Amino acid sequence: MSADFTPYVNMQLFDRDPAELYLSTIELLQLNIPGLSVKPGTIEDALVQAFSYLTAIAVNHINTLPNMVMEGLANLIGVTRREAQFATVTATLTALDYSGGTIDEGTTFECTYTSGGTTYSDYYEITTPAIIGIVEPDLLADPPTPLPTTEVTLVATEIGYRQPIGVGKVLTIQNSQFVSDSAVALETFEQGTEEESDAEFVARFATYL
């Protein structure tokens, strides 16, 4: 459903009557062409009357454009409604052993933070299966061969602002699996946003104009 543009579009106070436009046009013509006399019944008079009538129709229609047309106009000039977005973060998953495995789509991770002495949680999930490859360890290596890892993008389960996640933050896996038990955040955290309200969108469009 389109936003309500009535405060900026529905301008009946500025509608014009054909007779008013006719007189204004005659006055303007006489200012620009001294000595001009538009007499009733002449071609000049007919042209001015036609111009006044058609202009009045155009003005009155423009002043009551439907909301959908106005929103389309806003999109055409580059003012689009800001849609809601989920926060995302890239993270590294480390397998529990060298055999790797697959972490299923929808697997949830908890990110906890403390504010004012209270602990809160944001939840993120994997939207596509994450595959951790097999690594053949070198039994003689010192230090030992690193466990296999993979990089994934975690998406917040709720729309809007989430507590920012810093590099190295550990997110704990919630679903019971034997492939990995946590994810370590990288630096690519993107904040989520709430959907723009009708009032905010209309006000931004009016400011742009």
Side-chain angles (χ1 to χ4, degrees), residues 118-175:
T118 303
T119 300
Y120 300 90
S121 296
D122 286 332
Y123 293 92
Y124 292 79
E125 64 180 3
I126 295 176
T127 56
T128 56
I131 300 173
I132 303 179
I134 299 173
V135 169
E136 188 67 34
D138 181 352
L139 301 180
L140 300 178
D142 186 20
T145 303
L147 290 167
T149 63
T150 190
E151 188 175 306
V152 296
T153 297
L154 304 178
V155 182
T157 57
E158 295 182 16
I159 290 174
Y161 179 87
R162 302 290 98 191
Q163 181 70 17
I165 299 177
V167 178
K169 177 70 175 178
V170 176
L171 292 82
T172 308
I173 196 168
Q174 296 298 290
N175 312 56

Side-chain angles (χ1 to χ4, degrees), residues 11-44:
M11 304 167 67
Q12 285 91 344
L13 288 175
F14 300 99
D15 287 351
R16 290 294 179 263
D17 181 77
E20 180 186 356
L21 284 172
Y22 173 79
L23 295 174
S24 298
T25 303
I26 295 294
E27 182 179 350
L28 185 61
L29 285 172
Q30 290 175 340
L31 285 173
N32 287 277
I33 309 175
L36 175 67
S37 177
V38 180
K39 297 179 180 179
T42 62
I43 294 178
E44 292 83 357

